[in-house]
Amino acid sequence: MKLSKLVPLLIVLFLIESPIYGQKEGSHPQVFVNKSDRQEVLSKIENEAWAKASWNALQEEINPYVTRHITDPEWIVSRLAMYWKEGAHFTQCYIKNQNWDYGEGNAPVPTVRLPGMRTWNDYLNVPLEDRIPYSESGDLLGISRSSADKTPVLIPYKETGHMIRANNMEILKLAEKAAFAYFVTEDEKYAKFSSDILWTWMLGTYYMEPPLDPNKSTKGAGGYEPGGIMGFYDYEVIHDDRQIPAAAAYDFLYDYLNAHPHPHLKALSKTTTEVAGDVFKRFIEIDLIRGGKVGNWNVNRYKNILNSMLVLESNDFYEDGKGREYYIPFYTKDKPSEYFAGLPVIMDYYNKTTGLWPESPGYASGMIPLVLDMGVKLYKSGVNTLAGNPIITKAALANLGWLDARGNLVVFGDMRGGPANISSFESLLTYSTWEGDTETAKKMATVIRKNIASGQYDRNASDWQGIIFNQPLLGSGSDLPFHKAAYSPFHKHIIMRNGNDENNGMMFTLYGGKHKSHLTANGLAMQFYGKGWAMAPDASAYESYWSKDAPYHRGITGSNTILPGYSSGDIVINAMDPVVDTNIGFYNASETSEKVSFSDVSADEKRRLVAMVRTSETTGYYVDVFRSDQSDNDYVHHNLGNSVILKSELNTLLSLENVNDLGVKYDKSYSFFKNQRKIDYSKDFNANWTTTAVSPALHVNLWMMGQNNRELYVVDAPPTTLRADITPGLVNKSPETTPTLIVRQNDINGKKYPFVSVFETYETGDKSIYNISKLKASDNFVSISVTSKNSKQYICNAIDNKLYEPIRGLKFQGVFGIVSEKNNEFEYLYLGKGKSLQKGDFKIEAVKEAVSAELKFDNGSYFYSSDKPVFIQTKTMKAKQFPAGYNIEIK
């Protein structure tokens, strides 16, 4: 099909004006800006460095295509995925087993091709320049995501996954950007480029009926019948998103399109505005009768159709009386429906105490930016959905709690990780600036500056919408307060931090598994951080929920936990310090110690204590005591690294034997562990992972206390991630495997004989710990000592209420305790939910209930912290009772 047949000479249309929301028909653009806003946009581009840089980047991207379009107008349009074949311009598609089955009908123009599958595949489209023009078969050239071989291969239409959608979205986004460039420059070369794409898509969509699904594989019959999950032009309502750039382009090009209507409109006896209205209203109508009324599906549905609503004319323009003011309340008000729920219900979905959305962070962090983005656009239309909704700001700020020191989202549940979406803070800055709320504007500016400073956000790369809406950053710093502990009972997830800079900050997470809400049954799992990276990661390198490796990445085997046994369900917080009062919020309000944080959590037969111990401003380590009340256990630990070696307690290299498999497989996803190597070893040992992908090399050393009946396995696990920004030097990014340790205990109870570990992350030459040893262990108690360059700690943990004396002069009764000495002199006592801790003349003792308390010596003075009344004894002071309080000097 030649463009000469598709987009020939255009004719002029004249449309009658009518009022809409303060706008008139013919007074577009009206969604993001109106004509009077043009000078302000020009001024911003001229005077704001980030806006100028963003505008220059946009021009650099589109200008080559726009210039080529002047002499070769078929090039860009031919790359749209359409039913190009003469005689097979399908008007009705049929779905079978949630995939494209066949098409019927023949429109007078090529129609837009429906994606070939609901599911993803392993392939990305080749660059636009290399795509097949006028592909009549729908086959596409693709490049494998997971394979090291990047040679393009031809993918049959029915196996293209989301490639069709991505292809058309990419080209429509070029049309959207060119339409904005036309608004800014008033140069018709941009309008011609954009309109040729838009007319091809709009007429090709106009002739299509919604897909039919006779066997209801998508839980509905399709067509115009309510029910199921299909949108108008996709298998899922939440992916029915090509209308977004199309509607934006239409809005910017409105006058141009009316002045240069497509000649095919004569055959339809319709105007540009009528055809556009038919197309965009079809998306709206179909999307409002499909999908679910809760969760991210509901919000994403509105995100897809809001532009379509806003570009419409007023009610009285349409014969059915359904225009802008008819559709907008479907979002802004709570209209009764089994298929959708408006903004009031959406905001009720947020936890009023924590501000968190009840899904995994990858989904949750995306919801409030969408609500805010829609709110800013509606504000321009005279509808303020952001006023009187304090939960919106709270929800935006709550997402900061999911971020690590580098600004990446913590990975757990269904998500990929990576930087948080800063658009929510940009939207709040815009709204607060418009409203004259300088206090909120400064707070939002601080968040934005912080993310710019950490390299996680580049304001110079703002999209065209950012150029319009983003505001100058008011005077503010770039440092945000961080919290030492965050806990969400719904997510069963704890985060603890010590410091918040990339180089020296420490952080760990501890969480229980949960079904649904895009949270996963991953056991009682742990991650810890070093140099700003999740060095002990939760795997998330699957392509889609339908990928063969998805059960591994989404399940217990891809996490750092113990198998078999608990994978999901209720958890119990036995002890936590700093503690989070979940009746008040998401974060801790006080801290006992500057140097020690820990969480002790139980779930079914498992119990895990993870502690973080700071030994200097630049050094520290993690302690892991993992109990499992069953006789056979596999402790699985994934760690970033190009390699891993095992050493004995004498620091000699352990020689592992190649084996064919792991013997017992406690989960079907064990099949993803390859290159198994094994040694029977019951003494203390060290495992050292080295990441040579960065310089200096990054190391993680694991020391584990020995137990009888142990087998050690080193395996190659699947990749950690598909992303290029969450591991140092792209280590363990697909297709690179992840070196993983499995410590197996056979016929020995893992509650009485727990897995006791110490982890240290360091760069080459900076290792601090030089000795770790067991002090004493019994059925319910374990104690070790850790000696480093800076200090020595005696560490105790018990799961009963007995008084223990692991070495002479050291007495302990509680859940967790540390005695720290520096240069052989007292540094601090730390007691985590206990009755007593004593070393020599220094003692902490609860008056009644168990306390979390610390006694420290700092700059010649003693200080104490305690959450309840406590007795304190020092070398110069007999036991004396003190009230609860924090960081109080003892005089």
Side-chain angles (χ1 to χ4, degrees), residues 256-299:
Y256 182 88
L257 294 171
N258 283 321
H260 303 82
H262 194 283
H264 187 73
L265 298 182
K266 283 185 175 181
L268 294 172
S269 299
K270 289 196 173 185
T271 67
T272 300
T273 313
E274 289 170 336
V275 169
D278 284 348
V279 168
F280 292 122
K281 286 172 68 172
R282 243 179 279 173
F283 278 103
I284 299 167
E285 291 285 350
I286 292 295
D287 287 8
L288 285 174
I289 59 172
R290 303 280 163 76
K293 64 187 298 180
V294 297
N296 73 84
W297 276 64
N298 186 49
V299 180

Side-chain angles (χ1 to χ4, degrees), residues 1 6 82-85 89 107-112 200 203-205:
M1 168 61 62
L6 198 63
M82 310 281 291
Y83 295 111
W84 290 109
K85 189 175 181 180
H89 301 158
V109 298
T111 48
V112 180
T200 308
L203 286 172
T205 305

Side-chain angles (χ1 to χ4, degrees), residues 666-707:
Y666 292 124
D667 188 273
K668 61 182 180 182
S669 290
Y670 269 40
S671 62
F672 289 97
F673 291 139
K674 306 297 182 183
N675 189 25
Q676 302 95 339
R677 290 143 284 165
K678 174 189 174 185
I679 187 172
D680 295 337
Y681 197 79
S682 299
K683 297 180 180 179
D684 300 353
F685 72 93
N686 287 271
N688 190 275
W689 286 263
T690 301
T691 300
T692 56
V694 292
S695 182
L698 194 55
H699 305 266
V700 170
N701 192 84
L702 155 68
W703 171 90
M704 184 174 279
M705 190 175 78
Q707 298 285 15

Side-chain angles (χ1 to χ4, degrees), residues 120-128 130-131 140-147 149-155 159-164 166-167 170 416 543 722 733:
W120 281 257
N121 65 10
D122 181 45
Y123 294 90
L124 295 169
N125 286 304
V126 295
L128 200 52
D130 299 329
R131 292 182 205 167
L140 295 174
L141 289 171
I143 298 171
S144 172
R145 296 172 190 260
S146 61
S147 173
D149 184 359
K150 300 304 179 184
T151 305
V153 294
L154 189 65
I155 312 298
E159 299 173 18
T160 51
H162 285 225
M163 294 169 71
I164 296 286
N167 176 85
E170 181 180 351
R416 298 253 185 268
E543 177 57 43
L722 294 176
K733 176 183 178 293

